[in-house]
Amino acid sequence: MFIGRQSELNTLNKLYTSGKFEFAVIYGRRRVGKTALLSEFTKDKDTIFFTGVETNSKQNLENLSRCIMEYAGISADTSFASFQTALKYVFELALDKRIVFVIDEYPYVARVSKSLASTLQLLIDRYKDHTKLFLILCGSSMSYMEDNVLAYKAPLYGRRTAQLKINPFDFFEACQYFPNFSSLDKALAYGIVGGTPQYLLQLDDKLSIEDNIKNTHLNPSSAIFEEPNNLIKQEVREPAIYNAIVTAIATGCSKMNEISNKVGEDTSVCSSYIKNLITLGIVKKETPFGEKSSRKTIYAIEDNMFRFWYRFVPENTSIISRGATDLAYKRIEPEISAYMGGVFEEICKQYLWKLLRENNCAVSFSNLGRWWGTNAKTKQQEEIDIMGANKDTALFAECKWTNEKIDLSVLQTLIERSELFNYQKKHFYLFAKTGFTTGCIEKSEQLGNVTLVTYNDMLTW
């Protein structure tokens, strides 16, 4: 069953119905569902679907030739003499009818066929005004697609008519995978594997979250257990240092000097590696909302599956490898609630974006982020979970993933911290796992610029 991606499908279908030459570039991390999206899009269309493999140029040309000849109904054991001959044949096939031509895992082919991009450039320029071909290049190597397909100096620059970066699902989309989970377990599931479709499919919503953790992250034979190491090995040359950096960030080192000290490498070295991890969508860089100071930059794990894995698996690898799954889970369980605090903040951000898209947010913000800094009056460090702003109006939010109801003091503290900022209008959001005390509810109603949201409210919106 295909889930989600309606926006992407709508974009592709709109391009398809134009009837003229179209060239779309689709890219995104491995396992994010690019091939599934293309399969869904092309299922009822005339399509030549070729997937590159990590081999030499000759083998890829033979595979491409086979795909083209099967489409054309030609029985032949021979292949085209060159990629140019094969591709020219496809462009000419589409002179009289609409054909979708997909080259999936394009980097695998282009890396070993150095002239492929230039050949495509030549054929696009020659045929674009006459052919009805819908060309789609798809790739999982983020750096290759950005540097060699989308970049200004790339041969194909300026030829594409659309580009789609396929991101993991947000929390609300991911919930579609788990109709049998309770509301609470849906949040925990998202915290454990994030929004990557292939990881979501590893969970069984007929089992408890405990059993799912044991079956995936704590099971040496599971697909997820080796996934972080395998993905990093596929993308980089020195996986050991990358692993050390991700582990350092996942276990609490957020500043560059902290990461450098933990890993034992110079900050310049770590900075280069972290840049690549950001490109891969594994790490994210944050600065306080509204500020651009690199001095305050911190780093966090972007993807929940990696965040959970690197937070809990490496320190328990020895007992996991000896089959002591129950013991490993016993060590992890007390820390899961604290771990979910950051996950809940992200869910709350996604909810606010959802409200904004549906024109139901109290503040029409242009961006959201976390803020931290020093209170000039008290000289104390302060933090605001979520901030958003639009000209003279600002949004301030606090998120609490605890079993206790949020009381009035939380609201008062948020209001006090908002006074550090000079916005004419302010609106406050409180997000609670459980609910709010009577005092907090009454004060919110009295103020009139406070919105109280429980976790279950978000799921039923």
Side-chain angles (χ1 to χ4, degrees):
M1 180 178 68
F2 184 79
I3 294 174
R5 305 295 186 204
Q6 286 309 305
S7 175
E8 290 87 346
L9 285 171
N10 290 341
T11 298
L12 291 172
N13 279 309
K14 186 176 180 181
L15 292 168
Y16 180 81
T17 55
S18 74
K20 61 183 181 180
F21 172 75
E22 300 285 0
F23 171 25
V25 177
I26 296 177
Y27 66 113
R29 266 183 40 199
R30 299 179 193 279
R31 322 284 194 259
V32 83
K34 302 180 298 298
T35 302
L37 168 66
L38 289 172
S39 296
E40 180 69 14
F41 166 65
T42 60
K43 67 182 182 182
D44 56 353
K45 299 174 178 66
D46 260 2
T47 305
I48 300 171
F49 203 119
F50 164 61
T51 301
V53 292
E54 206 167 5
T55 184
N56 61 19
S57 181
K58 181 176 182 294
Q59 185 65 62
N60 273 311
L61 177 59
E62 289 175 357
N63 293 342
L64 172 61
S65 300
R66 191 176 302 111
C67 291
I68 296 170
M69 290 176 179
E70 284 177 359
Y71 170 83
I74 300 172
S75 298
D77 293 330
T78 59
S79 66
F80 288 96
S82 66
F83 277 102
Q84 181 167 338
T85 308
L87 295 170
K88 180 184 177 185
Y89 184 81
V90 174
F91 274 82
E92 293 185 345
L93 273 177
L95 288 173
D96 300 317
K97 63 177 179 175
R98 191 59 152 170
I99 297 175
V100 180
F101 177 35
V102 177
I103 302 181
D104 197 4
E105 295 298 354
Y106 172 77
Y108 285 157
V109 191
R111 281 193 181 112
V112 294
S113 308
K114 302 298 184 184
S115 63
L116 180 59
S118 298
T119 299
L120 280 168
Q121 175 194 350
L122 172 72
L123 293 171
I124 290 169
D125 291 347
R126 181 185 298 172
Y127 287 98
K128 62 184 173 62
D129 295 328
H130 312 290
T131 188
K132 297 178 180 179
L133 188 69
F134 184 0
L135 171 65
I136 299 175
L137 300 187
C138 181
S140 297
S141 176
M142 304 278 280
S143 57
Y144 188 94
M145 296 299 286
E146 290 176 350
D147 295 342
N148 297 281
V149 180
L150 300 173
Y152 177 75
K153 293 183 179 180
L156 292 171
Y157 181 81
R159 272 78 181 173
R160 69 183 182 278
T161 55
Q163 67 184 62
L164 293 174
K165 183 177 181 180
I166 309 302
N167 293 309
F169 288 130
D170 69 16
F171 167 69
F172 301 98
E173 295 168 317
C175 283
Q176 297 177 59
Y177 281 81
F178 308 124
N180 296 310
F181 272 154
S182 66
S183 297
L184 179 60
D185 283 353
K186 287 177 180 177
L188 291 167
Y190 182 69
I192 293 164
V193 296
T196 300
Q198 193 61 44
Y199 306 155
L200 291 164
L201 290 170
Q202 304 304 311
L203 299 188
D204 184 345
D205 64 358
K206 294 182 177 62
L207 300 177
S208 67
I209 289 296
E210 177 181 342
D211 286 340
N212 273 292
I213 291 173
K214 290 177 178 178
N215 290 343
T216 54
H217 290 77
L218 307 184
N219 178 7
S221 64
S222 75
I224 279 183
F225 187 79
E226 292 292 342
E227 176 66 7
N229 282 323
N230 287 339
L231 190 143
I232 286 178
K233 285 176 184 176
Q234 288 175 331
E235 297 288 350
V236 303
R237 289 194 181 94
E238 296 174 301
I241 298 177
Y242 283 94
N243 273 316
I245 289 172
V246 179
T247 301
I249 297 172
T251 53
C253 299
S254 58
K255 297 177 181 178
M256 183 62 76
N257 64 322
E258 294 173 344
I259 298 166
S260 173
N261 289 336
K262 183 75 171 179
V263 174
E265 297 283 351
D266 291 342
T267 54
S268 58
V269 173
C270 290
S271 178
S272 175
Y273 285 95
I274 287 173
K275 183 179 178 181
N276 291 335
L277 288 167
I278 291 171
T279 300
L280 291 173
I282 296 172
V283 168
K284 61 182 176 181
K285 179 170 72 171
E286 293 181 291
T287 53
F289 180 84
E291 299 182 26
K292 295 181 179 179
S293 171
S294 59
R295 187 171 54 85
K296 290 186 176 181
T297 296
I298 64 171
Y299 300 91
I301 307 299
E302 174 83 21
D303 183 274
N304 284 342
M305 192 279 285
F306 281 80
R307 186 165 170 252
F308 190 91
W309 195 96
Y310 279 97
R311 172 64 187 84
F312 296 116
V313 173
E315 64 183 29
N316 290 297
T317 298
S318 294
I319 60 174
I320 293 170
S321 63
R322 285 165 173 76
T325 305
D326 291 339
L327 176 59
Y329 183 79
K330 190 176 179 181
R331 289 184 179 181
I332 291 169
E333 186 180 25
E335 300 182 53
I336 291 177
S337 182
Y339 166 85
M340 283 298 297
V343 176
F344 186 51
E345 283 183 26
E346 184 58 37
I347 292 172
C348 294
K349 282 182 191 174
Q350 294 173 8
Y351 176 73
L352 287 168
W353 280 110
K354 191 166 180 272
L355 290 182
L356 183 73
R357 289 194 299 270
E358 297 171 3
N359 202 29
N360 281 298
C361 191
V363 177
S364 182
F365 57 85
S366 55
N367 199 10
L368 289 177
R370 191 158 59 93
W371 180 87
W372 62 94
T374 304
N375 186 323
K377 292 181 181 179
T378 65
K379 308 300 182 184
Q380 298 293 314
Q381 283 292 308
E382 307 278 13
E383 184 175 326
I384 297 171
D385 288 343
I386 303 173
M387 273 191 69
N390 182 16
K391 296 182 180 178
D392 62 346
T393 306
L395 174 157
F396 301 87
E398 185 75 13
C399 314
K400 295 291 185 184
W401 186 260
T402 64
N403 292 326
E404 295 78 31
K405 292 184 177 181
I406 288 182
D407 62 21
L408 180 56
S409 66
V410 175
L411 175 58
Q412 290 172 330
T413 299
L414 183 61
I415 293 172
E416 288 170 8
R417 289 175 179 172
S418 76
E419 292 170 0
L420 297 169
F421 302 88
N422 298 317
Y423 290 98
Q424 292 180 14
K425 300 176 183 177
K426 298 176 181 178
H427 194 94
F428 304 94
Y429 276 86
L430 293 184
F431 294 98
K433 175 186 177 184
T434 308
F436 307 89
T437 63
T438 301
C440 186
I441 294 170
E442 290 176 350
K443 186 63 174 179
S444 299
E445 292 172 348
Q446 178 187 334
L447 291 171
N449 64 339
V450 181
T451 301
L452 306 180
V453 185
T454 67
Y455 169 64
N456 280 331
D457 290 337
M458 288 191 267
L459 284 180
T460 55
W461 173 259

